[in-house]
Amino acid sequence: MSEATLIDVLPAHRFDEARLLSYLNGRLAGAEQGMQVKQFQGGQSNPTYLLTVGEHRYVLRKKPPGKLLPSAHMVEREYQVINALGSTDVPVPTARLLCEDPEIIGTAFYIMDYVEGRVHTQPLLSDVEQSQRLPIYRSMIETMAQLHNVDWKAVGLESYGKAEGYIPRQIKRWSGQFEASRTGDMPAMDALMAWLPDNMPTDDHTTIAHGDFRIGNLILHPTEPKVVSILDWELATLGHPLSDLAYCCLPYHLPSGVNGVKGMLGADLKGMGLPEEQQVLDWYCQYSGRSEVPDWNFFLAFSLFRLAAILQGVYHRAVQGNASNADALEVGKRAGLLAERGWEIAQSK
């Protein structure tokens, strides 16, 4: 969480800081010494704040204001998975407390430790020293495999999701979310919603699935090319591990240099010191113990469909005026491009 992304709390996301401080007194170290609040700018969904409480720094995540889509913004589930993973080798912040009482700051929220490090949102890593780019990608995939290798039953996450049927449930869920936030015609999305249920893989492997695993949701060590924390667990559940891998690889299938689209297609990856997609898949097999990555086009098309549905929701919230990022309107408009790319990949099976 880079200090550079801190801003004053946006008017739409202000809350009663005195009431929060009163609640934290006796529950969080340093609360008796007072508190300063800043907001992180960059996330599209759950407003996220830096709390400086005495000599301690914490991060608070809450639900956004306004009417929300069903099952969205479940900060309670974020807390549950971060708390459970605290005993594993998966790098997560230490979870401190969950408050489900909306009377304190208007919505449920949770607090975790602040983790020092770097966040780079662009997959080309153009603002990173070239010699670090390949090892950063390798660390990213190793970290993903560590997550997927966790025994989710042993860490108490049996109730975190269903152990089978992830792909059909996700197709149904995001088709429904898309329809709930539809603002016009999108033929490619309609085609994907029809194609995906008829082409699902038979492999129904279950792991903890992050749901939004990408370079921008990782904190890197301040100086070393190493992941020190995974962020933004809002979409996490029990699910298919290849959905995380495909989602993480989407930049390989999206154009670089297009505003609002974090793509790598067309860039000189070798010249920039970045791995090709096949290298990423090989690393994943090495660290996860898999022998192959089957049904790759399906998982790519599925991931593009899912992201298009998410961005349509961002756009819908922006139209209503309650998205948590100032550029949500622009990002949301990219939903159509993602759906079209997903339909192209689906047809190239």
Side-chain angles (χ1 to χ4, degrees):
M1 295 171 207
S2 166
E3 296 270 3
T5 60
L6 287 172
I7 57 171
D8 289 331
V9 178
L10 295 171
H13 297 137
R14 287 183 187 144
F15 54 81
D16 188 335
E17 294 181 13
R19 182 153 194 178
L20 174 63
L21 184 59
S22 174
Y23 173 82
L24 295 180
N25 217 329
R27 290 183 171 94
L28 202 62
E32 67 285 349
Q33 298 173 51
M35 177 181 71
Q36 285 184 313
V37 182
K38 288 281 193 178
Q39 184 170 3
F40 288 100
Q41 170 70 337
Q44 296 290 355
S45 191
N46 291 331
T48 306
Y49 308 81
L50 176 69
L51 309 183
T52 304
V53 182
E55 296 176 354
H56 303 270
R57 289 197 290 180
Y58 302 103
V59 173
L60 180 150
R61 271 171 72 83
K62 67 184 286 292
K63 300 184 182 191
K67 189 173 184 294
L68 305 177
L69 292 174
S71 77
H73 311 285
M74 297 295 287
V75 294
E76 303 90 342
R77 286 176 56 80
E78 290 188 42
Y79 176 84
Q80 184 186 358
V81 70
I82 291 170
N83 197 37
L85 289 171
S87 62
T88 72
D89 61 356
V90 178
V92 290
T94 300
R96 292 297 175 183
L97 65 86
L98 169 68
C99 175
E100 297 179 271
D101 180 359
E103 295 299 313
I104 307 301
I105 63 170
T107 72
F109 67 90
Y110 72 95
I111 291 176
M112 56 187 164
D113 284 359
Y114 172 85
V115 177
E116 195 72 52
R118 301 172 283 159
V119 176
H120 297 288
T121 59
Q122 297 296 335
L124 290 174
L125 297 178
S126 49
D127 51 352
V128 176
E129 188 182 321
Q130 182 160 330
S131 63
Q132 286 206 349
R133 291 173 190 164
L134 201 70
I136 285 172
Y137 264 75
R138 186 169 188 145
S139 180
M140 174 171 73
I141 300 306
E142 182 178 14
T143 302
M144 183 194 297
Q146 284 175 326
L147 173 65
H148 293 163
N149 287 341
V150 167
D151 182 339
W152 45 271
K153 293 178 183 174
V155 297
L157 290 175
E158 298 100 326
S159 65
Y160 196 61
K162 294 179 181 173
E164 61 283 313
Y166 171 75
I167 297 295
R169 280 200 313 279
Q170 285 280 300
I171 294 169
K172 183 179 178 183
R173 176 189 176 186
W174 291 110
S175 295
Q177 298 280 43
F178 174 77
E179 293 297 356
S181 56
R182 184 193 276 272
T183 50
D185 288 341
M186 202 179 291
M189 196 64 170
D190 294 331
L192 277 174
M193 287 191 288
W195 181 86
L196 288 166
D198 292 337
N199 290 274
M200 291 186 292
T202 53
D203 164 37
D204 198 17
H205 187 50
T206 300
T207 65
I208 301 168
H210 180 274
D212 195 9
F213 200 104
R214 56 189 168 88
I215 196 74
N217 275 337
L218 303 173
I219 300 179
L220 304 175
H221 185 280
T223 57
E224 297 172 25
K226 176 185 174 184
V227 176
V228 293
S229 191
I230 308 171
L231 301 174
D232 200 352
W233 293 84
E234 183 191 342
L235 297 171
T237 189
L238 298 182
H240 201 297
L242 295 187
S243 63
D244 270 352
L245 184 61
Y247 180 83
C248 188
C249 286
L250 287 187
Y252 287 108
H253 302 273
L254 295 170
S256 62
V258 174
N259 185 35
V261 177
K262 292 170 182 170
M264 299 164 72
L265 198 58
D268 177 12
L269 299 182
K270 189 173 182 182
M272 296 179 72
L274 292 161
E276 298 284 351
E277 183 181 71
Q278 188 57 52
Q279 173 67 79
V280 168
L281 302 188
D282 290 347
W283 280 334
Y284 182 77
C285 287
Q286 175 188 338
Y287 292 121
S288 68
R290 268 187 173 266
S291 58
E292 59 173 351
V293 179
D295 305 300
W296 189 234
N297 274 15
F298 173 87
F299 283 104
L300 289 171
F302 165 75
S303 293
L304 285 159
F305 149 78
R306 192 168 149 277
L307 186 54
I310 291 168
L311 291 191
Q312 181 63 28
V314 170
Y315 180 67
H316 188 249
R317 285 200 305 280
V319 171
Q320 293 179 317
N322 69 350
S324 65
N325 194 335
D327 68 354
L329 208 59
E330 281 304 307
V331 175
K333 289 176 183 174
R334 302 294 177 259
L337 183 149
L338 294 171
E340 286 163 18
R341 189 73 186 100
W343 182 229
E344 281 175 17
I345 290 172
Q347 291 174 295
S348 66
K349 264 181 84 76

